[in-house]
Structure formats: C-alpha cells, structure tokens
Amino acid sequence: MQTRVLTVLLLTGLFAACTTQPTQIPSSSPPQISTPAVAFESATPEATPSASAGSDPSYKVAAFYYPWYGNPSTDGEWIHWTQNNHMPPDDIASDYYPALGPYSSNDPAVVAQHMTWLRQAGIGVIITSWWGQGSREDQTVPLLLQTAEQHGIKVAFHIEPYQGRSGESLVSDIQYLYQQYGGSPAFFRSTATSRYSPDRQPKGMFFVWSMDSHGETQYSYWQQALDQIHALPEGGLVIAHTPDAGWVEGSHFDGLYNYATLDLDHNSFGWARALPADTLYIPSVLPGFSARRVAYPADTFVPRLDGNTYNRQWIAALGTGIQPDMVTITSFNEWHEGSMIEPLKTGISDGKGYSYPDFGSLPPEGYLNLTRDWIDKYLRMSWNASYRARVRITTTSDWTR
C-alpha cells in the first residue's frame, strides 16, 4: 500500500477543467503588397463625426489597428487593397467596403476621422501593427502619435513576426520604440503590475503576435529577452499572443491575449483561469470574421449575426470570474479579415458581380455604438477578489490498482 500526496494549485472557488484551445486565424504575413498607380477619384470621402465623438475614451479598452493601407492619391500606388489580385477602387481585398473608400493610412484626414470614431466608441488605446524598425508601418507612427494626442487617444505597439524577429531583436525593438516615440504624450504607458513587473512605474505595453511563428517552440525561448526588457530603465509590460499559460512562467511574459477566438463555446476564455498569479488577463473580442475575398479557409468565417456575435464575445470574455486588466478589440480596421468595427459603406459592388454586405440590422456606425455600450458595462462591473490556495491532499488509497 502506498501513501500519495498531491499538491494542487487552485483559484478559490474555481475548479477549472482542461481549457480548450481556441481556433486561431492564419498567421499574418509581412505587408509587402502593392501595385502601380492608377487613376483614383478621391482619397478621402467625407464622413461626419457623431455628436458623441467628444466623449472621454477608456484606457482600459484598446483596438488592434492596421496602418498599412495606401492609395495612388497619397502614396503613388495601391497598397494592401490589391491583395489576392483585386483591382481597386471598386474591387478591393475585403469582403466589406469602407465608408472612407480604399484609403491611405498616411492621409491625415483619414487618421483624424479614425481617432474621432475611436472616441465615439469609447476606445482609448490603439495597438498599431508594427513590422520592425524602418518598415512602412513604422513610418506611419509619427502621424498616428500626433493625431492621437490631439484626440486624447494613446498608441501601443503590436510587434508582428517580421522576417528575422528573435529574442535579441525584440529587446532592440522595444529600446527603439522608447527612443523614437517614448517622448510623445500619446505613447501608451500603464501602471499595471505583474509578477515580473511588480512596480507601479508607468511603462510601455507591447503585444507580441505569434510566439512560435519562427519555430520558437520552447517555453523558455523568450526568457532572456524578457528579463532584459524588464531590466530597462522604463521596464516594459510584454503581452504574448497565446492562450497557453506555459509561456508566462517559461519566458516571463507579463500577460496573455488571444487576438481572435473563432469557435466560441462555454470555455473559450477558460485560459484566464489557468493563468499564474499576478499575470495580466487581456482578452480579445471580435464582431465577426470574413476573409473570403483574400482566400482564407472557409472554416475561419464567423458571421456577425446583427451584432450578436460581438455581444457573445464580450459576455464570454467578461464572464470568466477573472477581472480583465484590459479588453482588446479585434479589430478597428483589419479589412482583409473582415473583423473591423470601422464604419462601412453600403450599396457598393465590385463591378464584377459581387455586392459588398452591410452590418445586417445595424447601421454603418453600429459597431461604434455597440462598443460604447459594452465599454460602459465593463467599466461598471465589479469582480469578487480571488485568492490562490495551495491544497495538500493526503490519501492512503493505493492508486496503482
């Protein structure tokens, strides 16, 4: 007969079952898509700000933002709108059509309109897609920061898996971002704490997409880099794109985010309950996912259902029993994947038989208003304090039989 001792780490009141791994979208590729210039009628169709555009935004809610679009009027060529052999301005690489048309991310009027819409939605932070030092997306940052400052919006960075990204380059990238942009009042800093960043000194928050995109399969792969980042004069909160808590203790990430959960079930955000103590829980919610015109697999399609998909995502993300340190929205303007909340234009076709859809029963700006409603609910919510308990179970049963 044997005596066995189990040590079980629990969240008080939560005995979580094994969490399911949410379906992940195809990994992003470096944004290098462009075509020669062709005639283009207007870079920025007019849009009228909402009466609620001046409302204070919340810095506890962020939206993933994509600054990689271009058109002939501003950039001398089409950039990104031509993906999968589409021919703008009517035929674009999106299942939906933007209210501003196929715009340029370098157009100050477009960026100003985006910031107005973000305020209307109550979103205080954008997490801008960033593909390395000197990249096209890096070159848009000064305009983003300048315009964001004028609108009371903050800018964080989504460090993408550009060619050659490594632990060493991650340290260099974060030092670069501080040096180049840290002096802007719009550079997002947070006083949140984690087990690896326990002080309340304001520090940048950096999101790292796709932890194993270049074969980094070991949990400890990023540890040396993360320890160096935490030791910087300003430190840094580094958030990993994965629901797998092993990356927290293995590489010393400060928190996790999921970006997109396509198959929503009762335990899709159950990974929150598996996080080690003092880890930032940053769930991502999306309104839908539709990337058929850029040839994504059919099983990635998620219908919007007149806003009900978005509602269910928010309910699931806020219903784990774990208080989110921030909620992220996927996305403000990822038009290729059809996950945007940016307003669209209705009654448009591509001239080849395809009619761009609307938001169903919601108006073109409907997701801005729905987002504002959910942010208000989120900020009014309260969570019971949770405590981690170490339970020692002793038994005289022979478990070998």
Side-chain angles (χ1 to χ4, degrees), residues 46-362:
E46 292 188 7
T48 303
S50 164
S52 62
S55 303
D56 289 338
S58 171
Y59 300 133
K60 289 182 70 65
V61 180
F64 291 103
Y65 185 89
Y66 293 86
W68 55 26
Y69 303 106
N71 62 35
S73 296
T74 303
D75 308 282
E77 61 182 345
W78 292 108
I79 304 170
H80 263 269
W81 298 112
T82 57
Q83 199 172 85
N84 206 37
N85 299 315
H86 290 286
M87 296 293 291
D90 294 331
D91 176 21
I92 64 171
S94 172
D95 290 5
Y96 298 89
Y97 200 87
L100 299 179
Y103 54 75
S104 168
S105 298
N106 290 306
D107 185 336
V110 166
V111 178
Q113 181 62 67
H114 285 174
M115 298 301 167
T116 297
W117 279 332
L118 287 159
R119 286 193 66 94
Q120 178 180 339
I123 299 167
V125 182
I126 59 170
I127 307 167
T128 187
S129 178
W130 190 81
W131 287 84
Q133 301 174 33
S135 65
R136 184 184 298 275
E137 294 72 30
D138 184 38
Q139 294 171 30
T140 67
V141 173
L143 176 61
L144 283 176
L145 288 170
Q146 177 184 354
T147 314
E149 181 184 354
Q150 295 168 356
H151 290 77
I153 304 294
K154 305 295 183 182
V155 179
F157 295 88
H158 199 192
I159 301 176
E160 305 274 15
Y162 60 82
Q163 187 64 38
R165 191 187 72 177
S166 64
E168 183 178 351
S169 73
L170 181 63
V171 178
S172 174
D173 288 340
I174 288 178
Q175 290 175 315
Y176 170 88
L177 291 170
Y178 273 134
Q179 291 165 3
Q180 291 293 113
Y181 309 122
S184 169
F187 186 97
F188 179 62
R189 288 177 170 85
S190 172
T191 59
T193 63
S194 77
R195 58 168 47 190
Y196 303 112
S197 299
D199 64 89
R200 289 198 170 274
Q201 170 184 289
K203 52 185 69 68
M205 182 177 286
F206 307 94
F207 293 76
V208 182
W209 165 267
S210 192
M211 303 319 305
D212 57 357
S213 60
H214 299 316
E216 308 92 333
T217 57
Q218 298 298 318
Y219 284 148
S220 61
Y221 175 85
W222 301 92
Q223 184 181 123
Q224 183 177 355
L226 268 290
D227 289 346
Q228 291 180 49
I229 292 165
H230 292 142
L232 293 174
E234 283 203 72
L237 296 167
V238 187
I239 315 301
H241 164 237
T242 176
D244 185 347
W247 288 98
V248 175
E249 293 184 336
S251 276
H252 298 175
F253 283 101
D254 297 285
L256 304 183
Y257 72 106
N258 55 295
Y259 189 77
T261 298
L262 304 184
D263 296 327
L264 193 65
D265 61 27
H266 71 283
N267 206 33
S268 293
F269 289 86
W271 55 271
R273 295 189 287 271
L275 293 175
D278 302 318
T279 301
L280 301 180
Y281 167 51
I282 303 184
S284 310
V285 297
L286 81 165
F289 199 93
S290 184
R292 290 172 288 196
R293 281 170 64 83
V294 292
Y296 273 32
D299 62 0
T300 64
F301 175 70
V302 179
R304 290 180 174 246
L305 304 178
D306 302 313
N308 287 321
T309 295
Y310 199 41
N311 292 337
R312 291 180 61 227
Q313 291 261 334
W314 273 96
I315 290 168
L318 300 179
T320 65
I322 307 300
Q323 181 173 358
D325 295 278
M326 171 185 272
V327 174
T328 57
I329 296 166
T330 305
S331 63
F332 178 76
N333 66 333
E334 222 299 4
W335 287 91
H336 300 314
E337 295 174 346
S339 65
M340 69 291 154
I341 62 169
E342 182 182 356
L344 51 65
K345 190 171 185 178
T346 60
I348 302 294
S349 69
D350 69 351
K352 301 176 181 178
Y354 178 82
S355 296
Y356 294 96
D358 55 23
F359 286 153
S361 63
L362 295 181

